[in-house]
Amino acid sequence: MGSMFRGEEMCLAQLFLQAASAYDCVSELGEAGLVEFRDLNPNVTTFQRKFEQLQQLEAELKEVTKNKETLKRNYLELTEYSHMLRVTQNFVKRASELDLASQTQFEEFPSLDKEPLMDYTNMQRLGAKLGFIAGIIHPWKIGPFERMLWRVCKGYTILTYQELDVALEDPECGDDVKWVVFLVSYWGEQIGQKVKKICDCYHCHVYPYPNTNQERNDIVAGLNTRIQDLHTVLYRTEEYLQQVLCKASESIHTWLVQVKKMKAIYHILNLCSFDVTNKCLIAEVWCPLADLAKVRQALEEGSRKSSATVPSFVNRIPTTDTPPSLLRTNKFTSGFQNIVDAYGVGSYREVNPGPYTIVTFPFLFAVMFGDFGHGLIMSVFALWMVLSENNPKLKRTRNEIWNTFFDGRYIILMMGIFSLYTGLIYNDCFSKSLNIFGSGWSVKSMYNNNIWKDDDLRYNQYLTLDPNVTGVFKGPYPFGIDPIWNLASNRLSFLNSFKMKMSVILGIIHMTFGVILGVFNHLHFKKKFNIYLVFIPELLFMMCLFGYLVFMIIYKWLAYSAANSDLAPSILIHFINMFVMQQNQDAKLYPGQTGCQMFLVVIAVLSIPVLLFGKPGYLYWKHHGGRNFGMYRKGYTLVRRGSEEEMSLLRAHEMEQGEMDSNHSSQTNGAEQEFNFGDIFMHQAIHTIEYCLGCVSNTASYLRLWALSLAHAQLSEVLWGMVLHVGLHMDSDYGSLLLFPAFAFFAVLTVAILLVMEGLSAFLHALRLHWVEFQNKFYTGSGYKFSPFSFELLTQNINDFA
């Protein structure tokens, strides 16, 4: 069977990668997406792994950015220095002209300790020198700065300041600030040290102050030259960076993919272990058995690219671990497989419900959603998404609701197509019938045979067509329900009976098919005893009770016609009497009904103890006396574990061909679990009770097909009658104008309620019927998915967020 019907056969292999070619080999495996790596260093932390390196590109970018910031800071400092010299030149001129006034200013401000200030002559006599500190300061700091100078220096300083007429950029925050230029004149080195400390505390930008006018002029000339040079360098640097960034933006996606690939490769290398010589890396991978040759080719290609002298190779090894499950899908089948995997990933090599879900899921949905008009809208919408599936604008969106619809476009298309079919079967299109082939009922024959008179038409609101009258019923409608039933007063009663029985028949067929699929699991895993002790009792219980119910429904349809329909018995009453061993002798479906029903009930009852005690008893006998029965062939290796109670007894049936040495055999035997009959019996008892009661509850659960189908039809009819019907029957002059908003309102409600809400409801109910009523008959879903190391998944994730 193909991989879609059953997971592919997997194997555990060791990769021996030469240190020089390990990177290229892992890269080739990532391009092919063939293997899933196992972590051979589970106890090693991230920081202790060998291949965790910082990217040099990031360091280079930081260095370039730092250099650019340094150049800009120098440019701003030179600009500030230039403005400071320009402004302080006026301060010096004014101070030299008013030297006497400066001395007077000193004398006007006494110290805090009320000590007498020394005049200019006394300071010169002590050898004190007049010093200057100039710089710029934030405008909101100049007031506190002035007061601090006065209190600390006790008046031995002169502060002169002026706000710049232009705003300069603050190198710390990047904001434009109108700085304040200050000049502090002080006496003596001690006072100068204090002034410098105060400037540091207020984060002043202090610059060297020239002693002479010639020195000032030389500094200003040099500053202008350096400022011009830096301005040119910064301009050219910005221009060059713009060109580099524009060119780099064209390759940013490629670089991003390359960086992600490098990171992924080093992550995989960290999962490997080194041999004793540290010249070879050993990796363990899960790989599909059919892809081993491709893995060898990838390793050979990686060794060739790296020019390695010793090639890397792969070696298959035996294992007792459960392999992952691999089911290859395409864009059409992946959506349906996701429905199955949402219940649980299939156990290794068990039957996959996915292929059958492609048909049964949209069909059961359509049974509940059957309307030709609604199915047509859904099909057209899904077909548009399918035809536009390569449009990047539709694939790369951040709207999760739209992404859900787009990812399930093939599911929606199948649901729409099946809804077209069931809509024709129900003959329902926006709650109206389609008379394509002409009705099989004739009203004219009721007049021709004098059954109806003119008074009957005049005084009766409803009249009944008699199919026993010649010519009234010409034959069944060729396809679907006759459109005349849309006019009948008992239409709802007729559809109730039809859809309820149809739901029971479909449900029992669906569940029986699930039971039959379990046989393929028993045969594949070499558990033939399950066929006799599990499958056959389950099938007999299902068929003798509920299969007989389907037989009675079909037999009643075929055995009774319009001529004797009044003699038809109630199937529900017969089915209840079947369990209580009673029978109405006056109303029988067929001769010998009583004996047949008693026989079927006895068979169903006897299958329960077989299902309850058969499997535990066989396993008990197998453990205590039947070890030599069905011995496994030499050379088999255990690759899948079944249920716990079968671990120690059925390992012979759980093995697949491989290479097993004596050491591995001894380890496997040492790890066997002890046989526990109590656990086995309890597990089987729970399964038996669940199955027998589930047959009743699950059959009743399929009645949701009937209930939701009627609800959808009635809701569609109500919407037609209360919205569009009103607009179509307006007789006023403005009726045609009101028809447009009525139709728009009808269309909006149809999409919002009947398509979206009703469609979602039918989808969820179909999902439940598959998960609970169908899959639990044969599908355990206790495996885990095969996750190969693939660059394709990496690039898909990048494209989604691009």
Side-chain angles (χ1 to χ4, degrees), residues 358-371:
I358 296 175
V359 178
T360 58
F361 184 85
F363 177 71
L364 292 183
F365 169 87
V367 170
M368 296 178 280
F369 193 76
D371 189 288

Side-chain angles (χ1 to χ4, degrees), residues 274-401:
F274 282 90
D275 66 345
V276 292
T277 62
N278 284 336
K279 296 182 179 180
C280 177
L281 277 78
I282 302 176
E284 288 187 2
V285 297
W286 289 113
C287 175
L289 193 60
D291 292 341
L292 273 179
K294 297 180 181 179
V295 174
R296 294 189 179 96
Q297 293 177 2
L299 295 180
E300 292 174 359
E301 182 65 18
S303 301
R304 184 189 64 80
K305 288 184 177 180
S306 61
S307 301
T309 56
V310 180
S312 302
F313 60 93
V314 58
N315 181 34
R316 184 181 174 187
I317 60 175
T319 179
T320 59
D321 296 336
T322 304
S325 299
L326 171 60
L327 294 163
R328 301 187 192 270
T329 59
N330 52 39
K331 60 183 180 181
F332 175 75
T333 59
S334 60
F336 296 95
Q337 189 61 48
N338 289 335
I339 291 177
V340 176
D341 293 342
Y343 174 83
V345 178
S347 300
Y348 178 64
R349 301 285 289 163
E350 76 171 338
V351 172
N352 177 33
Y356 319 106
T357 304
I358 296 175
V359 178
T360 58
F361 184 85
F363 177 71
L364 292 183
F365 169 87
V367 170
M368 296 178 280
F369 193 76
D371 189 288
F372 183 83
H374 300 156
L376 182 62
I377 296 175
M378 182 178 293
S379 300
V380 171
F381 173 67
L383 184 61
W384 170 74
M385 289 193 295
V386 170
L387 296 178
S388 306
E389 63 184 5
N390 295 324
N391 190 342
K393 294 182 179 179
L394 298 180
K395 295 195 302 184
R396 302 175 187 175
T397 63
R398 298 186 180 275
N399 191 324
E400 295 183 1
I401 297 178

Side-chain angles (χ1 to χ4, degrees), residues 743-798:
F743 178 78
F745 189 52
F746 172 79
V748 170
L749 292 180
T750 298
V751 173
I753 298 178
L754 296 180
L755 288 179
V756 178
M757 295 180 62
E758 284 286 314
L760 181 60
S761 175
F763 181 90
L764 294 177
H765 284 285
L767 198 65
R768 181 248 156 77
L769 290 177
H770 279 77
W771 284 357
V772 179
E773 279 72 27
F774 174 62
Q775 290 181 187
N776 70 348
K777 299 295 188 298
F778 66 98
Y779 185 70
T780 58
S782 58
Y784 63 101
K785 188 175 293 186
F786 175 67
S787 300
F789 172 63
S790 175
F791 291 150
E792 182 179 359
L793 300 177
L794 187 66
T795 55
Q796 286 179 358
N797 293 334
I798 294 176

Side-chain angles (χ1 to χ4, degrees), residues 57-259:
L57 179 60
E58 182 180 3
E60 292 177 2
L61 289 176
K62 288 183 178 180
E63 184 177 358
V64 171
T65 304
K66 184 178 179 180
N67 293 336
K68 180 183 175 182
E69 292 177 353
T70 303
L71 285 174
K72 191 171 183 180
R73 183 181 292 272
N74 292 338
Y75 175 78
L76 293 176
E77 289 178 353
L78 294 176
T79 305
E80 292 174 357
Y81 195 9
S82 175
H83 285 283
M84 187 272 294
L85 291 176
R86 177 178 58 82
V87 175
T88 56
Q89 186 176 6
N90 299 328
F91 296 167
V92 175
K93 289 181 179 178
R94 190 164 56 246
S96 60
E97 294 173 356
L98 303 175
D99 186 18
L100 183 59
S102 296
Q103 183 179 356
T104 307
Q105 182 181 3
F106 269 100
E107 294 176 353
E108 291 177 353
F109 296 95
S111 65
L112 295 176
D113 297 334
K114 298 182 180 180
E115 296 179 355
L117 295 178
M118 292 181 287
D119 56 10
Y120 181 74
T121 305
N122 293 334
M123 295 298 294
Q124 285 183 335
R125 191 178 298 123
L126 293 175
K129 294 182 179 181
L130 180 64
F132 300 94
I133 293 179
I136 62 174
I137 188 174
H138 281 283
W140 53 85
K141 295 181 180 179
I142 188 62
F145 178 70
E146 183 179 12
R147 289 191 293 270
M148 183 62 70
L149 282 176
W150 167 253
R151 291 171 182 169
V152 173
C153 299
K154 300 180 181 180
Y156 290 99
T157 59
I158 299 176
L159 174 64
T160 309
Y161 58 87
Q162 180 181 338
E163 187 177 22
L164 290 177
D165 52 355
V166 294
L168 300 178
E169 182 180 346
D170 187 353
E172 301 296 334
C173 61
D175 297 334
D176 291 338
V177 179
K178 280 197 173 183
W179 298 91
V180 173
V181 177
F182 67 89
L183 176 64
V184 179
S185 304
Y186 62 89
W187 290 99
E189 291 297 331
Q190 255 184 334
I191 301 298
Q193 294 297 329
K194 293 181 180 180
V195 173
K196 290 178 182 179
K197 290 181 180 180
I198 295 174
C199 291
D200 292 338
C201 292
Y202 283 88
H203 301 285
C204 302
H205 298 175
V206 179
Y207 298 98
Y209 191 79
N211 295 324
T212 63
N213 289 332
Q214 183 62 35
E215 185 180 355
R216 178 191 300 273
N217 295 333
D218 294 342
I219 292 177
V220 170
L223 285 177
N224 291 333
T225 303
R226 292 178 62 187
I227 289 174
Q228 185 64 30
D229 293 342
L230 282 176
H231 183 271
T232 304
V233 171
L234 285 173
Y235 176 77
R236 295 294 175 85
T237 303
E238 288 288 345
E239 186 179 14
Y240 175 74
L241 287 176
Q242 288 292 334
Q243 296 176 357
V244 172
L245 291 176
C246 290
K247 187 176 181 180
S249 63
E250 300 175 358
S251 306
I252 188 65
H253 180 74
T254 304
W255 292 348
L256 182 60
V257 173
Q258 291 176 351
V259 171

Side-chain angles (χ1 to χ4, degrees), residues 264-277:
I265 292 173
Y266 284 123
H267 173 72
I268 292 299
L269 292 177
N270 282 326
L271 304 181
C272 305
S273 63
F274 282 90
D275 66 345
V276 292
T277 62

Side-chain angles (χ1 to χ4, degrees), residues 415-433:
M415 294 190 304
I417 294 175
F418 275 84
S419 296
L420 292 175
Y421 168 76
T422 55
L424 292 176
I425 291 293
Y426 297 156
N427 202 350
D428 204 355
C429 180
F430 296 112
S431 76
K432 297 299 176 183
S433 296

Side-chain angles (χ1 to χ4, degrees), residues 399-412:
N399 191 324
E400 295 183 1
I401 297 178
W402 168 254
N403 291 338
T404 301
F405 279 104
F406 190 79
D407 292 340
R409 56 191 178 279
Y410 287 99
I411 300 177
I412 299 175

